[in-house]
Amino acid sequence: MDFHTVKQKDEQYIEHTYNRFQVGIQEGNGATLTDFSGKTYIDFTSGIGVNAFGMNDEAWKTAVTEQISKVQHACNLYYTQPQVELAELLCQKSGAKKVCFSNSGAEANECAIKAARKYNADKYGDGNRYEIIVLNNSFHGRTLATLSATAQDSFHKYFTPFVEGFPSVDADDFEGFLNAVNPKTGAVLMELVQGESGVRPLDKEFVKKVEKYCKEQDILLIVDEVQTGNGRTGNMYCYQNYGIEPDLVSTAKGLGGGLPIGACLFFEKTEFVFSYGDHGSTFAGNPVACAAGVSVVKRLNQELFDEVKRKGEYIIKALKNTKNVLGVSGMGLMIGIQTNKPARSVVQQCIEKGLFVLTAHDRVRLLPPLNITEAELEKGLKILMEIIEA
Ligand code: PLP
């Protein structure tokens, strides 16, 4: 099928929920992608943080294809090996006690929200401590509950009534947080680096204070690691960079390296919250997605984290010295750039010159594959800097 036909059929048959750029991807290798005309691009997006080890990764392909030829799906009433392998790896690398699988980041957050409500219902009575404090400018997903937890006005239209119980406060404002706490408060939900709203890392002191307060008051601390997790910020999970101990962690994106999978991690306090029937999903913990996850998580080690940090610092340093850059923020290979140009026009110009980058609010966002080569990184950075400087 040629690109023109693909676009025509997309227009005709796919609901218009994505404002797509005029480019189609046909294949890729590592962080180099090829469009329908054979033009190549350096990929600083990894499919919005999903393709942790880029395209056509040998270990990932082998894990997926081997699993496909064994069992492609089994219902959750039976045991499968990839599910327990991935759950064990996740617990070993995070200190979590148990895992509940899902199919996406939003669903992992739904699971965390349900777990927080159940924990509080069991301990304090149903309907008493159901509120979950969230941060302004957060993004937690597009299901109704996670949209409700997403404290950005632009998301709170059309779909009323939203799910109640998500009061929001400003990030890094501990007094504001304390003011929002009330007898109904059962949990706090936060991204430690607010991704969609511009790649803004939270202040360490604020996070530590919230953690301490939550521990004292038996308020659950939920960290949304859908975007920051699985090596992205130079550690297995970003909460490890902050030196905190959450009670629940949601993750997805890079976890499957390109296949849809999410997970909610349950720590000591929440380990036994759910029992039979409290949560579930037909596809969650699909053996192929879990085998993909095992191949990704196995390789998330200190050597890779050091590489991610080194590359991230290199990019940030280069961009800080670039004309027209007003600010650079981020952690590891999750980077936001504020320039004096509209972010979407930078993205468009990058595409023309052979580079994929993302936006996050008013900023340009970079989420390259964790194993991007030095050569790909240099090539992409050169294009980006030239466009920003022009
Ligand atoms: N939470 C965060 C922090 C995210 O960045 C995203 C997606 O961008 C989500 C949740 C939702 O994940 P998904 O799109 O997989 O449902």
Side-chain angles (χ1 to χ4, degrees):
M1 211 182 275
D2 62 25
F3 185 43
H4 179 71
T5 313
V6 169
K7 277 203 303 186
Q8 239 175 12
K9 288 184 188 291
D10 182 289
E11 170 76 16
Q12 188 173 352
Y13 296 114
I14 294 182
E15 189 70 11
H16 296 168
T17 60
Y18 301 105
N19 187 8
R20 300 196 207 276
F21 289 96
Q22 295 306 299
V23 61
I25 297 170
Q26 224 177 13
E27 56 183 43
N29 198 46
T32 303
L33 310 187
T34 307
D35 75 6
F36 283 67
S37 71
K39 178 179 166 183
T40 60
Y41 303 78
I42 298 297
D43 180 24
F44 277 5
T45 73
S46 58
I48 320 191
V50 169
N51 301 320
F53 291 100
M55 294 280 192
N56 203 23
D57 174 70
E58 281 304 328
W60 185 87
K61 275 195 308 182
T62 304
V64 168
T65 49
E66 280 183 357
Q67 185 54 44
I68 284 176
S69 59
K70 288 182 193 153
V71 179
Q72 83 276 23
H73 173 80
C75 77
N76 273 314
L77 297 175
Y78 311 129
Y79 299 95
T80 61
Q81 190 175 317
Q83 226 182 72
V84 294
E85 276 180 2
L86 182 57
E88 183 179 33
L89 271 174
L90 287 173
C91 288
Q92 284 168 347
K93 287 184 184 247
S94 67
K97 298 289 184 193
K98 297 245 181 332
V99 173
C100 207
F101 287 113
S102 59
N103 310 290
S104 66
E107 283 176 77
N109 279 331
E110 288 276 344
C111 178
I113 291 165
K114 281 176 70 177
R117 286 196 173 185
K118 175 86 180 352
Y119 174 89
N120 282 287
D122 287 346
K123 214 161 166 185
Y124 300 100
D126 210 2
N128 286 329
R129 290 192 16 155
Y130 64 90
E131 280 193 2
I132 299 177
I133 297 179
V134 295
L135 300 184
N136 289 328
N137 296 316
S138 57
F139 182 79
H140 296 298
R142 291 177 182 274
T143 60
L144 260 182
T146 58
L147 257 190
S148 308
T150 292
Q152 297 188 50
D153 287 346
S154 58
F155 286 93
H156 289 195
K157 51 186 186 186
Y158 311 133
F159 310 117
T160 53
F162 285 96
V163 177
E164 67 164 306
F166 296 101
S168 67
V169 300
D170 283 341
D172 300 342
D173 176 5
F174 187 61
E175 287 305 312
F177 163 75
L178 288 182
N179 289 336
V181 175
N182 69 81
K184 287 184 188 156
T185 307
V188 178
L189 166 62
M190 55 170 78
E191 302 158 84
L192 295 172
V193 181
Q194 293 189 312
E196 298 300 311
S197 66
V199 194
R200 301 160 194 268
L202 298 192
D203 175 52
K204 233 175 191 168
E205 202 184 323
F206 167 76
V207 173
K208 286 260 190 198
K209 278 186 183 167
V210 170
E211 184 211 21
K212 183 166 178 284
Y213 184 84
C214 285
K215 273 209 169 94
E216 286 163 5
Q217 303 296 322
D218 193 26
I219 293 169
L220 295 182
L221 179 57
I222 312 171
V223 178
D224 179 340
E225 298 255 14
V226 169
Q227 195 165 147
T228 52
N230 313 303
R232 176 58 56 191
T233 59
N235 220 325
M236 181 66 195
Y237 289 109
C238 191
Y239 72 79
Q240 292 160 327
N241 291 330
Y242 279 77
I244 58 164
E245 295 174 343
D247 300 303
L248 293 161
V249 165
S250 56
T251 192
K253 287 196 184 279
L255 179 58
L259 283 182
I261 182 167
C264 181
L265 312 183
F266 291 64
F267 291 73
E268 209 160 331
K269 235 184 198 182
T270 51
E271 179 178 359
F272 299 108
V273 160
F274 283 154
S275 39
Y276 301 133
D278 285 337
H279 197 59
S281 150
T282 301
F283 286 116
N286 167 272
V288 181
C290 284
V294 169
S295 95
V296 169
V297 175
K298 259 188 188 165
R299 286 182 280 170
L300 301 178
N301 54 30
Q302 197 54 50
E303 194 185 335
L304 181 79
F305 300 151
D306 291 343
E307 188 184 319
V308 166
K309 281 187 209 143
R310 189 174 44 74
K311 286 176 186 163
E313 281 159 17
Y314 177 76
I315 296 173
I316 290 178
K317 193 169 165 210
L319 287 165
K320 277 192 172 157
N321 292 321
T322 300
K323 199 177 99 190
N324 298 332
V325 168
L326 306 176
V328 188
S329 59
M331 213 178 274
L333 283 173
M334 180 171 175
I335 296 168
I337 314 151
Q338 194 162 25
T339 76
N340 62 1
K341 300 164 197 286
R344 200 174 158 92
S345 84
V346 173
V347 174
Q348 182 57 50
Q349 287 175 58
C350 283
I351 290 173
E352 284 156 24
K353 298 281 183 205
L355 172 68
F356 289 130
V357 295
L358 297 158
T359 61
H361 249 247
D362 57 338
R363 299 184 186 187
V364 174
R365 178 174 36 153
L366 313 182
L367 296 170
L370 305 180
N371 65 340
I372 187 168
T373 63
E374 304 282 339
E376 288 167 325
L377 204 151
E378 285 298 340
K379 195 173 166 188
L381 205 49
K382 187 165 177 282
I383 296 172
L384 180 62
M385 286 173 13
E386 275 173 15
I387 286 166
I388 293 173
E389 278 178 345

